[in-house]
Amino acid sequence: VLFQIMELCGATRLGYFGRSQFYIALKLVAVAQSGLPLRVESLNTVKDLPLPRFVVSKNEQESRHTALYSSDADNPASYSGVIPPPPGRIQVKKGSVSHDAVQQRTSADQQESTSPVVSPQQSPPTSPHTWRKHNRHPSGGNNERPLAGPGPFWAPFSEAQPGSSTSSDPIWSGHSPPPHQENWVSFADTPPTSALLAMHPASVQDQTTVRTVASATTTNEIRRQSSSYDDPWKITDEQRQYYVNQFKTIQPDLNGFIPGSAAKEFFTKSKLPILELSHIWELSDFDKDGALTLDEFCAAFHLVVARKNGYDLPEKLPESLMPKLIDLEDSTEVGEQTGEVGYSSSPAEAPPSKSPSMPSLNQTWPELNQSSEQWETFSERSSSSQTLTQFDSNIAPADPDTAIVHPVPIRMTPSKIHMQEMELKRTGSDHANPTSPLLVKPPDLPEENKMSSSVKFTSGNTVTDGYSSSDSYTSDPEQIGSTVTRQRSHSGTSPDNTAPPPPPPRPQPSHSRSSSLDMNRSFSVTPGQQQAGVVAYPPAVPPRPQPSQGAGPHVHRPVDAEGLIAHTSTSPQQIPEQPNFADFSQFEAFAVSGVKKEEEDEIETHSEVLQVEKPSDSASSLRAAKADGRVEDKAPANIPTSAGKGTTPLAPPPKPIRRRLKSEDELRPEAEEHTQKTGVIAAVLASQPSIPRSVGKDKKAIQASIRRNKETNTVLARLNSELQQQLKDVLEERISLEVQLEQLRPFSHL
Amino acid sequence: SEPVSFVLPPQNYPLYIRSIPTENELKFHYTVHTSLDVVDEKISAMGKALVDQRELYLGLLYPTEDYKVYGYVTNSKVKFVMVVDSSNTALRDNEIRSMFRKLHNSYTDIMCNPFYNPGDRIQSRAFDNMVNSMMMQVC
């Protein structure tokens, strides 16, 4: 079989085992191992042939060795005998080879030895290593040494080896100066066995490292093959070892970077077109920093290898090459190796690296193991660093996108209107719709969540789009607190954002704002109603928000909020008269679930302001009706909260505010709403499940949210005015341009 | 067709041209060249405020056609020019700005590539993909 192989690859090619021949030979071996007939065609047809397995059969390894050696030494006959060598012999031989301790080998050798360790081929762990050493060692004597140990089987090897070694010797010497191809060739001769043995990237790596350039190419090719078998882009251990070695030659610090210029030189040696190298760089420089870390370097190297072996570059970095993914598996090498990748990279680097590695050859396995361990550790480290860098790079792009603030205010107006409409339509129907989003207020999540629910019902959705900060409001729709907060937010916004209800403050404030801006004009009644409804919900909290909500004018928003709150609080007390608000019952239900204690307290406070907040009440009642029970819950929550916190003082403030609102909202059927709200509120209050802990927090939250809402409100109002101004300017420009266009038009056809 | 993207270095020869669809390209090329004058004018006018990252160039409305030309210049005087149809009113200033920002980011990524020599035509696939996706977004 070996003969056939040799004939096929040797005969087809030159008389020596050039790289391509070597690969062909390897592939043929794989073919033979697979039981396929040996044909030249098989090389091409069976692309995915499993890599010739060394582990499986040492015999084959040996045979391969022999084949290689025989070809090297042009002694095919002698090697035929070695075809069925006992596995033990191989090992023995390898062991002896290792003794050669060709010191001159570069550290790559070490790594190669290491890689065998890590490679699945545990059986002949030393073989690649030994082979390597064997190969490296120029002296034929070394080669013979191991041979002597083994039995007769090895004799042929020794014969071959000396021959190969001798052949390699001159090659070695001519390593640097001679063309890389030659080196490669000679290298291929010497370590063909090792290459065969390993058939791993490791062995290839070893060879390449030894040969620097030549080995690099060989390794690359083999690596390519191996990697392309299962996962085209997997990096095998040996490959990785090799890459790491190469990395070290450029940058001793494994944790450091290879600057772009150095990397450029290095990869230019691979003789790939610049365009492809550029593309490889783009793929592998994951963090886009212009430098390659070890992982990036390995990925780039791997891509170069693949490319040189005929594989097209992917459009994006394959997963297995991602910097944080380091594939440590054994690769299955594809038998085919037809590319003659004259990877003349770093010939200079190779020699120096060789020397240091050579001495280390003699080191024991433990050392190699250690190095592999270190390497693995490094890879972990580099992975983490890569992860970090990637993470950073991921962050960076996001930043610019979030920098745009303009859209927010722009959308406020329409959203506000929308919000108002929504509010009108669904007072409290959408608890999950934090109106706070509209407000673009700083997320006051904990409390705002509570509020958000209440706010939501006010068409928060639409508005939220426009409001970047609406996010905070969207969160927490369902709690009693949320209802309360919602109302609070409403109230917060209206009363000059003084008391931005915590979570819902936003939605509510926005709501209130919109109501102030637009509601007054268009939905004077409805928004107010809505607000009232909302306000009703958190009777406790919203003394402030309620008034604001209740009142149409944004000025009174905070007042509205309060008024609303008060309104809501009062509404329950007043018991709804209007049956039209079906939601009212919902409100009740909600209220029931809400805070009971608070409601009661709120009710007390609210009762004071109740009258004042007629308009707000109507709004809030409306809202309350629409809002789900959540609002009511909120209201109760608010109520207790406010009560607990002594919101009584709040009641008076809302009162006057509500008065104002009231006047503004006179348009609305306040009475009805109010009644409803009161009814709702009453229901809420009545059923309010005590919300003990929230009391204290709510109050503060409410106040904070109110403040926030107010601030947001003012900011938004400012933005709005600015945008309007801009709009006017743009319109003017447009007009002027159109005029110009008209003027030019007659001339355009000249 | 719209939009069209051009990348030009200080020497005002295009490093990258991409248009969708690829018809009437010459017309757009011509338009871009004429707009370069205005771009240069604005650059010189900026004077000290050189670091103004983005320059919105909305003014050039060709009388017959109706499209807008946007310009953007980096600190290294690399110009990005974009031509979009005026009928595409959905495009807002912010979107244009974000597109230019993306262009700029991709351009710097290209610059980081040691194999890229400034002044070469941009043949980066990543850059192509980015520009294509961006333009698809607009169309």
Side-chain angles (χ1 to χ4, degrees):
Chain A
V1 172
L2 285 175
F3 275 126
Q4 288 179 337
I5 293 176
M6 290 187 305
E7 283 173 8
L8 278 176
C9 56
T12 354
R13 304 300 186 116
L14 317 170
Y16 58 90
F17 257 32
R19 174 123 123 218
S20 35
Q21 285 87 48
F22 178 59
Y23 287 129
I24 293 176
L26 291 176
K27 173 140 193 181
L28 287 174
V29 172
V31 170
Q33 287 185 359
S34 312
L36 302 178
L38 277 187
R39 306 251 183 283
V40 181
E41 321 58 297
S42 62
L43 277 177
N44 303 325
T45 53
V46 189
K47 259 195 103 122
D48 286 344
L49 203 58
L51 297 174
R53 303 208 175 272
F54 291 95
V55 190
V56 176
S57 155
K58 299 212 175 65
N59 287 346
E60 297 185 339
Q61 293 175 5
E62 286 195 345
S63 54
R64 277 191 285 266
H65 284 284
T66 25
L68 289 176
Y69 268 82
S70 59
S71 54
D72 295 343
D74 294 335
N75 292 331
S78 60
Y79 293 105
S80 54
V82 298
I83 293 179
R89 291 211 205 114
I90 296 181
Q91 285 186 342
V92 175
K93 178 182 179 185
K94 295 191 184 155
S96 57
V97 174
S98 57
H99 291 315
D100 293 344
V102 188
Q103 306 309 327
Q104 306 133 31
R105 286 304 165 244
T106 60
S107 56
D109 296 339
Q110 283 188 8
Q111 298 203 347
E112 291 184 28
S113 335
T114 316
S115 47
V117 175
V118 298
S119 73
Q121 282 189 5
Q122 291 306 320
S123 49
T126 62
S127 47
H129 181 68
T130 56
W131 276 117
R132 204 172 351 141
K133 292 186 179 172
H134 178 76
N135 296 328
R136 301 221 186 93
H137 197 74
S139 66
N142 288 339
N143 296 337
E144 290 170 347
R145 215 169 5 117
L147 295 178
F153 174 75
W154 295 106
F157 275 95
S158 54
E159 294 172 6
Q161 285 173 5
S164 56
S165 59
T166 38
S167 61
S168 57
D169 284 345
I171 294 173
W172 280 103
S173 49
H175 175 80
S176 318
H180 296 306
Q181 286 298 332
E182 288 183 3
N183 286 346
W184 176 82
V185 172
S186 58
F187 178 79
D189 290 347
T190 16
T193 47
S194 53
L196 285 178
L197 274 178
M199 280 309 287
H200 284 287
S203 57
V204 180
Q205 287 178 355
D206 295 347
Q207 299 174 3
T208 42
T209 46
V210 174
R211 302 251 176 187
T212 59
V213 179
S215 47
T217 31
T218 313
T219 310
N220 293 344
E221 288 191 25
I222 295 185
R223 199 175 309 140
R224 166 187 64 97
Q225 290 187 4
S226 54
S227 62
S228 54
Y229 180 64
D230 281 340
D231 173 0
W233 302 109
K234 245 193 279 185
I235 301 183
T236 68
D237 294 340
E238 293 80 5
Q239 285 178 344
R240 188 157 184 93
Q241 297 260 353
Y242 180 71
Y243 298 146
V244 173
N245 288 337
Q246 291 297 314
F247 185 93
K248 282 191 200 155
T249 63
I250 311 177
Q251 161 73 278
D253 176 18
L254 286 179
N255 275 330
F257 293 86
I258 293 185
S261 49
K264 176 178 178 177
E265 291 172 23
F266 182 82
F267 288 112
T268 309
K269 293 179 201 155
S270 69
K271 294 188 184 163
L272 283 181
I274 292 289
L275 183 59
E276 297 192 6
L277 290 175
S278 175
H279 188 64
I280 290 176
W281 177 277
E282 279 183 5
L283 290 178
S284 57
D285 188 4
F286 210 71
D287 46 8
K288 301 284 177 227
D289 58 357
L292 297 181
T293 65
L294 182 67
D295 287 340
E296 292 174 339
F297 178 83
C298 290
F301 212 135
H302 202 62
L303 288 171
V304 169
V305 171
R307 190 75 183 110
K308 289 187 95 41
N309 285 305
Y311 286 81
D312 289 331
L313 293 179
E315 278 304 312
K316 58 183 186 77
L317 197 63
E319 251 195 32
S320 53
L321 288 184
M322 291 279 182
K324 29 180 204 280
L325 303 177
I326 298 181
D327 199 313
L328 298 180
E329 322 180 8
D330 310 320
S331 62
T332 54
E333 292 198 1
V334 179
E336 174 191 273
Q337 292 182 353
T338 47
E340 76 280 297
V341 184
Y343 192 92
S344 56
S345 65
S346 59
E349 295 167 0
S353 60
K354 268 196 329 188
S355 342
S357 58
M358 295 295 265
S360 55
L361 281 183
N362 276 338
Q363 293 174 15
T364 60
W365 287 111
E367 274 186 40
L368 296 173
N369 295 334
Q370 285 174 7
S371 55
S372 60
E373 291 167 0
Q374 292 166 4
W375 171 77
E376 288 168 355
T377 310
F378 172 79
S379 57
E380 292 167 4
R381 270 181 284 134
S382 54
S383 312
S384 57
S385 67
Q386 279 299 328
T387 309
L388 289 177
T389 45
Q390 286 163 8
F391 184 71
D392 293 339
S393 61
N394 291 336
I395 289 180
D399 292 338
D401 298 335
T402 56
I404 297 181
V405 182
H406 282 294
V408 175
I410 290 178
R411 285 193 225 132
M412 279 186 51
T413 309
S415 56
K416 274 202 222 167
I417 296 177
H418 193 77
M419 181 173 62
Q420 292 170 6
E421 294 175 61
M422 290 187 61
E423 286 189 13
L424 293 177
K425 288 168 197 166
R426 25 180 304 272
T427 46
S429 59
D430 185 3
H431 289 275
N433 207 7
T435 51
S436 52
L438 299 178
L439 295 182
V440 186
K441 287 201 174 132
D444 191 2
L445 291 178
E447 297 163 328
E448 286 165 1
N449 289 339
K450 296 189 278 188
M451 301 292 288
S452 56
S453 56
S454 61
V455 179
K456 282 182 189 171
F457 73 83
T458 50
S459 70
N461 289 334
T462 42
V463 182
T464 42
D465 295 341
Y467 297 85
S468 53
S469 60
S470 57
D471 306 334
S472 58
Y473 286 93
T474 45
S475 44
D476 213 55
E478 311 316 313
Q479 305 158 9
I480 294 177
S482 56
T483 22
V484 174
T485 46
R486 199 191 311 174
Q487 296 186 358
R488 279 185 294 191
S489 57
H490 281 283
S491 53
T493 45
S494 33
D496 317 325
N497 304 329
T498 49
R506 293 216 209 106
Q508 289 187 0
S510 58
H511 176 72
S512 56
R513 192 169 333 136
S514 59
S515 48
S516 63
L517 292 181
D518 306 301
M519 281 174 58
N520 290 338
R521 308 173 210 150
S522 48
F523 316 93
S524 55
V525 177
T526 3
Q529 293 177 352
Q530 286 180 350
Q531 288 177 350
V534 176
V535 175
Y537 295 152
V541 176
R544 277 176 304 220
Q546 284 181 357
S548 58
Q549 291 172 351
H554 45 284
V555 177
H556 301 284
R557 192 152 311 161
V559 179
D560 290 342
E562 295 173 8
L564 286 174
I565 294 174
H567 185 72
T568 49
S569 60
T570 52
S571 47
Q573 298 167 358
Q574 296 176 3
I575 301 295
E577 294 168 355
Q578 307 83 16
N580 12 331
F581 291 83
D583 298 349
F584 210 62
S585 55
Q586 294 176 13
F587 194 77
E588 280 185 82
F590 190 85
V592 174
S593 60
V595 184
K596 301 195 172 68
K597 297 192 305 193
E598 297 175 349
E599 274 184 341
E600 294 166 351
D601 298 338
E602 292 261 349
I603 292 173
E604 295 172 357
T605 58
H606 290 306
S607 55
E608 299 176 354
V609 288
L610 185 57
Q611 299 78 18
V612 183
E613 300 186 285
K614 272 284 180 186
S616 54
D617 284 349
S618 56
S620 46
S621 63
L622 225 191
R623 220 168 320 178
K626 294 182 188 173
D628 301 336
R630 196 177 316 140
V631 176
E632 296 212 7
D633 292 344
K634 274 185 163 181
N638 289 339
I639 295 173
T641 307
S642 55
K645 299 173 191 168
T647 43
T648 315
L650 290 179
K655 215 195 301 194
I657 297 175
R658 292 215 189 110
R659 272 208 201 92
R660 273 180 283 155
L661 294 176
K662 188 184 203 171
S663 57
E664 294 170 357
D665 296 330
E666 288 171 353
L667 302 175
R668 313 177 209 160
E670 300 152 358
E672 288 184 351
E673 296 168 351
H674 185 74
T675 341
Q676 287 182 357
K677 279 194 288 188
T678 44
V680 175
I681 293 176
V684 175
L685 291 175
S687 56
Q688 50 176 209
S690 52
I691 297 185
R693 58 95 186 103
S694 56
V695 174
K697 293 182 197 170
D698 286 348
K699 180 176 182 183
K700 289 177 193 162
I702 294 168
Q703 290 173 352
S705 59
I706 290 176
R707 264 193 303 279
R708 249 195 324 275
N709 287 340
K710 285 185 183 171
E711 291 163 9
T712 309
N713 198 18
T714 49
V715 169
L716 289 169
R718 215 173 22 242
L719 278 170
N720 186 30
S721 57
E722 287 172 6
L723 287 168
Q724 307 249 349
Q725 185 61 34
Q726 284 184 14
L727 178 64
K728 285 180 204 158
D729 295 343
V730 170
L731 286 174
E732 284 172 1
E733 279 183 33
R734 183 177 169 215
I735 293 172
S736 65
L737 284 173
E738 283 174 358
V739 168
Q740 288 180 17
L741 186 62
E742 286 303 320
Q743 291 173 358
L744 291 172
R745 196 150 281 178
F747 303 102
S748 63
H749 297 295
L750 291 181
Chain B
S1 72
E2 63 287 17
V4 180
S5 298
F6 282 72
V7 178
L8 309 109
Q11 296 79 18
N12 283 343
Y13 63 87
L15 290 185
Y16 183 83
I17 299 175
R18 174 59 58 90
S19 63
I20 292 175
T22 55
E23 67 202 27
N24 287 339
E25 277 200 80
L26 272 186
K27 178 180 71 178
F28 290 115
H29 292 200
Y30 164 72
T31 308
V32 169
H33 275 282
T34 56
S35 64
L36 282 181
D37 284 339
V38 189
V39 173
D40 286 341
E41 191 184 309
K42 296 210 175 195
I43 294 179
S44 56
M46 282 208 283
K48 294 177 203 166
L50 278 178
V51 199
D52 188 0
Q53 266 280 312
R54 74 149 202 88
E55 161 212 309
L56 177 61
Y57 186 36
L58 183 50
L60 182 60
L61 279 180
Y62 205 65
T64 50
E65 275 84 8
D66 209 26
Y67 52 82
K68 306 179 194 158
V69 183
Y70 293 89
Y72 180 101
V73 69
T74 72
N75 289 344
S76 55
K77 298 292 183 289
V78 174
K79 308 172 193 57
F80 299 96
V81 181
M82 245 193 320
V83 180
V84 299
D85 228 33
S86 275
S87 55
N88 194 352
T89 51
L91 264 191
R92 295 195 350 226
D93 179 40
N94 287 314
E95 294 176 16
I96 302 286
R97 287 191 208 193
S98 71
M99 289 170 73
F100 273 130
R101 194 165 27 235
K102 277 197 249 176
L103 270 178
H104 196 177
N105 286 338
S106 300
Y107 180 73
T108 49
D109 287 346
I110 291 181
M111 280 294 138
C112 284
N113 189 334
F115 299 103
Y116 174 78
N117 304 314
D120 290 351
R121 303 217 53 164
I122 294 179
Q123 285 153 314
S124 149
R125 287 182 230 175
F127 191 80
D128 284 347
N129 294 340
M130 187 276 305
V131 173
N132 280 336
S133 65
M134 211 167 62
M135 303 220 275
M136 289 304 165
Q137 227 175 355
V138 175
C139 287

